[in-house]
Amino acid sequence: MAGLLKISRRSLTLIRRYSTPLIYSDEVRTAKNDNKPIVALESTIITHGMPYPKNLETALEVENIIRNQGAVPATIAILKGQLTIGLTRTQLEYLAQAKDVIKASRRDLAMVVAGKQDGATTVAGTIISAELADIPVFVTGGIGGVHRDGEKTLDVSADLTELGRSKTLVVCSGVKSILDIGRTLEYLETQGVTVCALGESKQFPAFYTRRSGFDAPYNVVDAEHAASVLNAARSLHLSSGIVVAVPVPEERAMDEKKIETAISNALKNANEKGVRGKEITPFLLAAVSKATGGASLDTNIALIKNNAKVGADISIHYQKLRINAPIQSRGLHTSCRRMSDVLVIGGANVDRTYRITEENIQLDGSTHACTTEQCGGGVGRNIAEALWRLSGGRAKLLTAVGDDADGRFLHNIAPGLILDGCFTKEYSTATYAAIFDKKGECAIGLGDMEVHRHISPELVNKHIEILKNAPLIVIDGNIPQNTMEHVLELCQKYQKKVFFEPTDRRKSIKPFLNNQNITYASPNLLELKEIASYLNPHIENDIVCNEHDIIRLSKVVLKYVKVLIITMGAKGVMVVKYKDSVSKEVHLKFYPTQGLKTIQNVSGAGDCFASGFIFGILNDKPEETSVSIGFRCAEASLLCKTTVPAKFPFN
C-alpha cells in the first residue's frame, strides 16, 4: 500500500460499496472522453408534455439539431431504477410509449431509483442529474414557477429552488404561461439565480408568446455572451444557476389574448376537477392544446427546437472557454495556471472486502456469513481519480482494464479518465480481495493483477501525444519493467517531469534498474532503504531510525531523484532534496500531520496525498503549500468510505 499511510491491511476498516448512480450512453461517454460540448435534455417533455408520436418525433429532432450544431445531446431519464445520461433511440422509443412513468423531481429520485422504476426527470431532476454528470448546459421548453394563486396555495415548483442551488445554465423560453410570471421572477431573485433574456431586449418571454410584460434583470446578446456569463459564474464558484430565456420564434408565437383566454379556462377547469400538485402542469398544457386546436403544441415544439440550437451554441462556446481558461484551485483562495492533462500510467483494480460475521473461521470448506463491500482501487487509478477531481477533469489514466462488469464499474467512477485502448478482452479486470475476521483482522488477501501485463509500450505509443503535452507523468510500480523503461526514455526525450510512486518495497527499485533519472519519488522508509541498498549495495542498511539515517540513504538516491517525498505514516512526510546544484548539501524538512480521532479507510490516503502535492506543484505553489494541500486531500480520504472521496472539502 503506497503513500502517506503505509499501514497493514490488518488495520483497515470495512470499505463500503462504492457505485456511481449514473450510466452513460456510448455517445455521451465518448463525448466526455474527447471533451466535446454536451447538452442535457429533460425527459418529462417526452412522457408528460406531448402525446405519442409527436413526443418521440420531437425528441429525435431536438437531439439531431444539437448534433448538427456540433454538440452532443444527453437526454436524461431513470430506466428500471438506473439514472441514465443519454438515451439510445430504442430507449427513447420505449419511454415515448411507456405507461406509469413517474415524474421525477428531487423528492422522487431516490424512491424511483430504489424501486427500480421508470422515471422522467423534470427540470429540477434533470438539473441534479446534469450536475452529477458535470454537464453545465441544459435545454428545456419552459421552467416551472410560482403557480397562480401561489401566495395562497404555496404551490411553487421545485425547479426554482433547484436553480438556486445548482451551477447549471438552463436555456428555456421563460416560465410557462400558465404560471404567475411576476412572482416567479421575484422568487428566482430571492434564490440568487441570474436571469437573462436572449437578445437586445430585457423583455422576459412568456413561453407561447414573446412578451410577458416583465423585464429580466439582464440580457445576453447571443450564445457567446451567455457562455461568458456561465464561465464567469463558474470561475467565481457561485452555487446558483443561470436562466437564459429565449423568445419563441416570431412566426411561431401565439396571440397573447387567445392564449390567456385558453389558460384561464384551463385553470378554472382544473380547479373544478381538483387537479393539484405535479399533475397540474400536464393537465393545463393538454387543456390549452385542446382549446387552441393544437396550435399551442406546435408552438411548444417550435420553441424547444429553437432552444436546442441556442443551447448547443452556448455549450460549444463555453467548452472553448473552459479548455482555454485557467483551472481554479477551488476553496484554496489562489489562482491556478492552466495545465494540460496529467498522464498517470499505473494499475487499476476493484477492491473487495469480505468481513466474516461469525466468531471463528473454519478452513475446511465451510460457508461463512459475511458482509461484502467494494470500491475502486489501484495506486495509479487512485492518484489519477483524485487529480481528475481536483483539477476539473484534467487527468488521464493509462492502465489495463478488462472489458467486463468490473471494468465498467471503474470507468463509471470517473467517466473520461481511462484512455481508449486500455480495455482488453484478454484478461479480467484486476481485483484485490481481503477477508477479515469478526475482530477486523485480515485473515487473507488475494490479488489477481495479470491484466497489468497489457500496459505495454505499444499502448503508451498510442497515446504519445498526451504524453508529449502532459505537464507531468506519474508512474506507479505496478507497470511492467519494459513499459516503465520505455516511458522513462520518452520522458527523457521530451524533457518531461516524472513522479514515481513505488507501491511496495519489491517494486521500488524498478525505475533504477537502468539508472533512469526521475523528478519526484514518494517512498516510505522501507522503500527508501530498498532503493538505496540497490543503488549502493555496500551502504549500511540497518533499521532507519533517525534523521542521520534518512540523510545517509537519501544521498544515494538523490543522484537519480531530484526530490524525495518520504512518507512516514501517521507522523507525516519528510521532503529531502539538494539545497542547490553546486554544494550538494542535503536539505531536509519534516512536515508533521495532525492526528484524526476517527478514520474510516486508510487505503487511499497516501494516493490522495500524492495527488494533492502534485496539484500544488503543477500550479507553482511553494513546497509548504503543496504538502498542505496533500495533507488535506489525505484527510478527506481517511474520513471517506472509499479510496478517493467524490468531492474534496475545498472543491
Side-chain angles (χ1 to χ4, degrees):
M1 186 60 61
L4 181 63
L5 292 178
K6 307 274 186 170
I7 296 176
S8 165
R9 286 186 180 265
R10 293 178 181 274
S11 63
L12 286 173
T13 54
L14 188 65
I15 302 171
R16 293 194 178 275
R17 180 182 181 84
Y18 182 100
S19 59
T20 175
L22 311 178
I23 61 171
Y24 296 88
S25 67
D26 290 342
E27 183 182 22
V28 174
R29 185 185 300 113
T30 300
K32 293 184 85 54
N33 288 343
D34 296 340
N35 288 320
K36 290 183 178 179
I38 304 172
V39 177
L41 298 167
E42 64 160 298
S43 47
T44 50
I45 196 169
I46 301 172
T47 57
H48 294 77
M50 298 178 188
Y52 180 80
K54 277 288 185 183
N55 55 353
L56 177 60
E57 294 170 1
T58 302
L60 294 172
E61 289 172 0
V62 166
E63 287 200 342
N64 283 331
I65 288 170
I66 292 171
R67 290 187 186 99
N68 291 337
Q69 291 300 114
V72 174
T75 303
I76 296 173
I78 303 171
L79 300 176
K80 308 303 180 187
Q82 181 65 65
L83 187 53
T84 305
I85 311 298
L87 302 185
T88 64
R89 183 182 179 109
T90 300
Q91 290 170 330
L92 285 170
E93 291 173 349
Y94 165 76
L95 201 62
Q97 302 177 73
K99 305 297 182 183
D100 301 323
V101 178
I102 297 171
K103 194 176 180 183
S105 187
R106 173 177 282 269
R107 71 171 187 180
D108 312 292
L109 291 174
M111 294 301 294
V112 177
V113 170
K116 300 188 182 305
Q117 297 169 288
D118 293 329
T121 52
T122 63
V123 169
T126 307
I127 289 173
I128 293 168
S129 305
E131 293 267 308
L132 288 172
D134 190 27
I135 301 175
V137 178
F138 162 40
V139 165
T140 186
I143 61 173
V146 179
H147 282 256
R148 301 190 187 194
D149 294 328
E151 71 279 11
K152 299 176 184 177
T153 64
L154 300 182
D155 193 349
V156 180
S157 171
D159 298 352
L160 305 187
T161 50
E162 209 58 57
L163 277 163
R165 57 187 170 193
S166 78
K167 303 186 295 293
T168 305
L169 182 146
V170 178
V171 179
C172 62
S173 288
V175 182
K176 296 182 178 74
S177 305
I178 57 179
L179 305 172
D180 188 323
I181 296 175
R183 285 190 170 90
T184 298
L185 288 171
E186 290 289 342
Y187 198 99
L188 287 170
E189 180 182 356
T190 301
Q191 293 293 314
V193 179
T194 301
V195 179
C196 312
L198 181 72
E200 299 294 338
S201 170
K202 291 184 179 180
Q203 179 63 234
F204 191 76
F207 196 68
Y208 296 115
T209 61
R210 293 175 61 84
R211 292 168 292 277
S212 66
F214 297 93
D215 279 350
Y218 301 99
N219 68 297
V220 286
V221 295
D222 54 23
E224 187 173 3
H225 188 185
S228 69
V229 173
L230 174 59
N231 188 56
R234 292 288 176 118
S235 67
L236 291 169
H237 312 297
L238 301 180
S239 296
S240 52
I242 300 169
V243 170
V244 174
V246 183
V248 61
E250 187 83 52
E251 66 276 11
R252 293 290 190 174
M254 298 191 68
D255 181 83
E256 295 175 22
K257 292 183 179 180
K258 184 177 181 180
I259 195 66
E260 183 57 35
T261 299
I263 291 170
S264 297
N265 291 336
L267 284 166
K268 182 179 178 181
N269 191 17
N271 187 54
E272 291 173 352
K273 293 185 175 182
V275 180
R276 296 287 186 274
K278 64 182 180 180
E279 302 302 327
I280 186 69
T281 297
F283 177 88
L284 293 175
L285 291 175
V288 170
S289 178
K290 183 178 180 180
T292 59
S296 64
L297 178 59
D298 292 340
T299 299
N300 193 353
I301 293 171
L303 65 86
I304 186 63
K305 290 180 180 179
N306 187 53
N307 293 349
K309 182 178 182 298
V310 173
D313 289 344
I314 293 173
S315 182
I316 291 166
H317 284 295
Y318 174 68
Q319 188 70 3
K320 292 177 182 177
L321 291 172
R322 181 157 67 170
I323 289 174
N324 295 320
I327 298 169
Q328 299 298 320
S329 178
R330 291 164 286 193
L332 295 175
H333 308 290
T334 180
S335 178
C336 299
R337 67 176 174 84
R338 166 72 185 168
M339 67 178 184
S340 301
D341 292 342
V342 177
L343 177 60
V344 182
I345 305 174
N349 55 265
V350 175
D351 284 351
R352 290 189 175 90
T353 60
Y354 303 85
R355 185 166 188 171
I356 295 175
T357 55
E358 300 175 17
E359 291 293 338
N360 299 311
I361 300 177
Q362 303 294 327
L363 300 179
D364 58 1
S366 301
T367 299
H368 295 76
C370 70
T371 57
T372 306
E373 309 293 338
Q374 78 173 28
C375 68
V379 171
R381 194 213 68 84
N382 293 345
I383 292 174
E385 183 194 345
L387 278 170
W388 185 81
R389 296 192 184 283
L390 285 168
S391 63
R394 307 310 304 176
K396 294 295 182 185
L397 174 62
L398 193 154
T399 186
V401 179
D403 187 8
D404 51 26
D406 282 341
R408 290 187 290 274
F409 170 79
L410 292 179
H411 167 83
N412 286 332
I413 291 175
L417 177 65
I418 301 175
L419 289 168
D420 291 340
C422 293
F423 291 83
T424 174
K425 296 182 181 295
E426 296 180 27
Y427 300 95
S428 299
T429 298
T431 58
Y432 175 84
I435 300 174
F436 294 89
D437 62 21
K438 192 171 183 180
K439 296 179 181 179
E441 296 293 320
C442 183
I444 189 171
L446 303 170
D448 177 3
M449 305 293 170
E450 286 296 306
V451 70
H452 291 154
R453 294 182 180 180
H454 186 64
I455 308 175
S456 64
E458 292 74 23
L459 183 59
V460 173
N461 290 340
K462 181 179 178 181
H463 299 287
I464 190 68
E465 291 303 319
I466 294 177
L467 185 145
K468 288 180 181 179
N469 294 323
L472 181 74
I473 310 300
V474 182
I475 55 176
D476 75 14
N478 290 313
I479 64 178
Q481 183 65 38
N482 66 327
T483 304
M484 182 173 291
E485 292 175 4
H486 181 65
V487 170
L488 292 174
E489 289 171 1
L490 288 173
C491 290
Q492 184 176 7
K493 177 180 178 180
Y494 297 113
Q495 297 182 324
K496 293 297 173 183
K497 294 180 179 180
V498 178
F499 188 106
F500 172 59
E501 168 48 58
T503 69
D504 69 35
R505 185 174 178 177
R506 293 169 299 172
K507 300 172 183 176
S508 61
I509 64 171
K510 292 173 77 171
F512 310 103
L513 294 179
N514 284 323
N515 298 326
Q516 297 278 9
N517 291 304
I518 57 179
T519 318
Y520 303 93
S522 55
N524 63 12
L525 291 175
L526 290 176
E527 291 162 352
L528 175 67
K529 176 182 171 183
E530 189 75 22
I531 297 169
S533 297
Y534 171 77
L535 293 173
N536 184 359
H538 303 294
I539 194 170
E540 295 180 13
N541 57 4
D542 295 333
I543 296 174
V544 182
C545 59
N546 55 42
E547 182 176 312
H548 172 75
D549 292 331
I550 293 174
I551 292 176
R552 178 172 52 84
L553 296 174
S554 296
K555 281 185 175 180
V556 177
V557 182
L558 287 175
K559 295 178 182 178
Y560 301 96
V561 181
K562 287 187 177 180
V563 181
L564 284 167
I565 305 103
I566 303 169
T567 58
M568 305 177 71
K571 294 179 181 179
V573 301
M574 190 172 288
V575 179
V576 187
K577 58 188 176 183
Y578 284 128
K579 192 171 184 179
D580 55 63
S581 59
V582 179
S583 66
K584 295 298 182 181
E585 179 184 348
V586 174
H587 178 268
L588 179 150
K589 186 168 184 178
F590 175 64
Y591 296 91
T593 59
Q594 295 181 350
L596 294 175
K597 293 181 180 180
T598 303
I599 294 178
Q600 296 288 350
N601 176 21
V602 302
S603 61
D607 304 329
C608 287
F609 168 80
S611 298
F613 181 85
I614 290 168
F615 183 72
I617 61 175
L618 286 178
N619 287 291
D620 298 327
K621 300 305 164 191
E623 178 183 295
E624 294 82 358
T625 303
S626 298
V627 171
S628 177
I629 297 171
F631 280 158
R632 292 175 68 184
C633 291
E635 180 178 322
S637 176
L638 290 167
L639 297 173
C640 179
K641 304 283 187 180
T642 57
T643 51
V644 179
K647 189 173 184 180
F648 288 100
F650 41 81
N651 272 111

